[in-house]
Amino acid sequence: MAERFRVVGGTALRGEVAVWGAKNSALKLMAVALLAVGRTRLTNVPAILDVTIMAELLRRLGCTVDYDAPSGVVEIDVPEKIGHRADYDLVRALRASTAVLGPLVARTGSADVAVPGGDAIGSRGLDLHAAGLEALGASVHVTHGFLVAEAPRGLDGAEIRLDFPSVGATENVLTAAVLARGTTRLENAAREPEIADIAAMLTSMGAQISGAGTSVIEVHGVDSLTAIEHAVVPDRIAAGTWAFAASATRGDVEVVGANSDHLVAALELVEASGATVTDTPRGFRVDSGGRRPRAFDVATLPYPGFPTDLQPFALACNAVAEGSAMITENLFEARFRTVQELNRLGAETRIDGHHVMVHGVERLSGAPVEASDIRAGAALVIAGLVADGVTTVSGAQHIDRGYAGFAESMQGLGADVTREPDDDPFL
């Protein structure tokens, strides 16, 4: 049954909220497990729908997967022989499943991964992934809707420079190169903390990697890896969500389990909005002082710049801020779909290409809106908190993909946010 979030406006979020491991790391680490025969144990895994989907993909490849969502533990038994095909029904539901491409080519010499369709936040092709694997010696082509990569004689290290610091391409080159012959040097690599987390796990498994977290990564290939236990890095996007929520709602929130070092660019803008950000022994705290936020300009960039995943929250915060701001989206052309829904709540915005001019209003007004993706949905719930009356956010399943117990977390901060059946006859 389709569900939606029902949000009663007028609440300043106060208290503490915990964040689990990063969705964008946990899913990729599950794919990394394919590189080693034996039992891999991941801890601090978020209890989200996407983990369930990735678990099903690994099962179809021949693995045994046990997922204890309440305790945040995933255990993956990888056999000596595994499959090499990721079907469209799972790739369509979970784009991150393309992370199996590198491990499968490295382990089996072949990978058939369905080409994802369009994405609600813009096109994200696999060209850079394919080019990286070809540089390592794989033959890559698309046939019958699948990206097929073949390296029956194994892979060889190479000098590779990405045209763009793509996170996904960096991950697939890295996970393929660890079992390649010789040395791979990857330039213009993505620098996200999740990349460093993957490299840390691979290193514990026996890989030889240097430079992860910088723009140049070197990998010296090894013959085999060993299954291990690894704790997932904290979710910086979830932490950033609560930081902007505290500022937007004029609240005071401690984000427990977060690492502020992974959010420097974002927290600088939270401070620009007028809130005070302080590190605590358990994470960090955002205190708005009960004041209306000030408008702040935003431009999304690859890490360590401001993350595109937090752009919808900057939009929601600026929608009720004092003054005007320019939001520039440099990474995904369709991410401004959030703007259309914010306008339904009374936001004053104007889109010009990849820019949005936002003129802050004192309060928004409750209305039915629809989530188009994970972050847009969560941002609309936050917008509902600073709107008069009731806001309903359809598409609760999108938010479930990125946030464990989102309504319960909101309630723990004093918000009137609940789930209910969505009786829209056209859903």
Side-chain angles (χ1 to χ4, degrees):
M1 177 183 294
E3 290 187 312
R4 65 189 180 192
F5 286 92
R6 183 181 185 274
V7 186
V8 179
T11 299
L13 298 181
R14 297 188 180 280
E16 64 181 55
V17 62
V19 295
W20 284 74
K23 160 191 179 304
N24 291 334
S25 187
L27 301 173
K28 314 304 176 63
L29 296 175
M30 292 175 71
V32 167
L34 293 168
L35 289 164
V37 176
R39 191 171 184 85
T40 291
R41 188 172 191 265
L42 299 175
T43 60
N44 199 33
V45 177
I48 56 175
L49 179 61
D50 279 11
V51 173
T52 302
I53 299 172
M54 181 62 85
E56 175 59 24
L57 172 58
L58 296 183
R59 292 187 186 103
R60 292 194 195 180
L61 291 172
C63 303
T64 300
V65 183
D66 296 318
Y67 176 30
D68 185 350
S71 65
V73 175
V74 172
E75 294 186 318
I76 305 164
D77 275 312
V78 181
E80 183 70 40
K81 290 188 177 181
I82 55 176
H84 57 85
R85 183 183 180 92
D87 291 321
Y88 178 61
D89 63 326
L90 293 177
V91 177
R92 177 180 59 183
L94 177 62
R95 190 183 179 93
S97 56
T98 57
V100 302
L101 186 61
L104 289 180
V105 175
R107 267 291 311 280
T108 72
S110 180
D112 301 357
V113 177
V115 177
D119 194 291
I121 62 171
S123 60
R124 296 188 284 182
L126 295 177
D127 292 353
L128 294 179
H129 304 239
L133 293 176
E134 286 177 336
L136 294 172
S139 170
V140 184
H141 60 279
V142 175
T143 181
H144 302 298
F146 283 82
L147 182 71
V148 178
E150 297 173 314
R153 297 182 181 85
L155 299 169
D156 292 293
E159 299 269 344
I160 303 171
R161 180 176 178 82
L162 297 178
D163 292 337
F164 176 83
S166 160
V167 173
T170 298
E171 291 164 347
N172 272 320
V173 170
L174 177 59
T175 53
V178 290
L179 294 182
R181 293 178 291 266
T183 299
T184 297
R185 179 181 171 89
L186 178 62
E187 298 184 353
N188 201 27
R191 300 164 59 185
E192 275 76 359
E194 295 79 17
I195 297 293
D197 195 29
I198 291 170
M201 176 171 168
L202 287 168
T203 300
S204 296
M205 295 168 72
Q208 297 183 19
I209 302 168
S210 62
T214 75
S215 60
V216 180
I217 301 175
E218 284 198 353
V219 182
H220 301 283
V222 298
D223 292 334
S224 63
L225 298 174
T226 303
I228 60 159
E229 178 174 329
H230 181 81
V232 182
V233 70
D235 194 327
R236 63 191 171 95
I237 303 302
T241 297
W242 298 115
F244 281 108
S247 178
T249 64
R250 310 185 190 189
D252 182 358
V253 175
E254 182 182 11
V255 187
V256 178
N259 185 340
S260 63
D261 290 340
H262 295 168
L263 281 167
V264 172
L267 293 180
E268 285 177 350
L269 292 185
V270 171
E271 290 182 319
S273 76
T276 300
V277 180
T278 54
D279 283 328
T280 70
R282 301 187 300 168
F284 64 82
R285 176 184 175 190
V286 177
D287 183 3
S288 71
R291 296 179 296 272
R292 180 184 179 188
R294 297 192 300 262
F296 53 94
D297 295 335
V298 177
T300 64
L301 290 169
Y303 191 86
F306 186 86
T308 184
D309 278 354
L310 290 180
Q311 181 253 92
F313 306 102
L315 270 171
C317 192
N318 272 305
V320 293
E322 183 177 358
S324 300
M326 179 72 76
I327 313 293
T328 302
E329 175 54 62
N330 292 308
L331 301 178
F332 293 121
E333 67 272 16
R335 194 131 221 178
F336 285 149
R337 289 182 63 176
T338 315
V339 175
Q340 303 166 13
E341 301 303 299
L342 284 173
N343 289 346
R344 285 184 48 77
L345 298 176
E348 296 184 5
T349 67
R350 186 179 72 253
I351 299 178
D352 182 9
H354 64 118
H355 305 283
V356 176
M357 176 60 73
V358 184
H359 301 286
V361 298
E362 182 73 26
R363 298 283 299 178
L364 300 174
S365 57
V369 292
E370 183 175 357
S372 57
D373 61 68
I374 299 170
R375 311 306 173 185
L380 290 170
V381 171
I382 292 168
L385 293 174
V386 290
D388 293 326
V390 174
T391 297
T392 56
V393 182
S394 296
Q397 75 278 3
H398 289 295
I399 299 174
D400 293 341
R401 290 184 50 217
Y403 298 89
F406 191 62
E408 292 77 8
S409 295
M410 282 285 183
Q411 292 163 11
L413 295 171
D416 188 347
V417 176
T418 54
R419 296 176 73 107
E420 63 183 19
D422 195 334
D423 55 4
D424 187 336
F426 297 104
L427 289 179

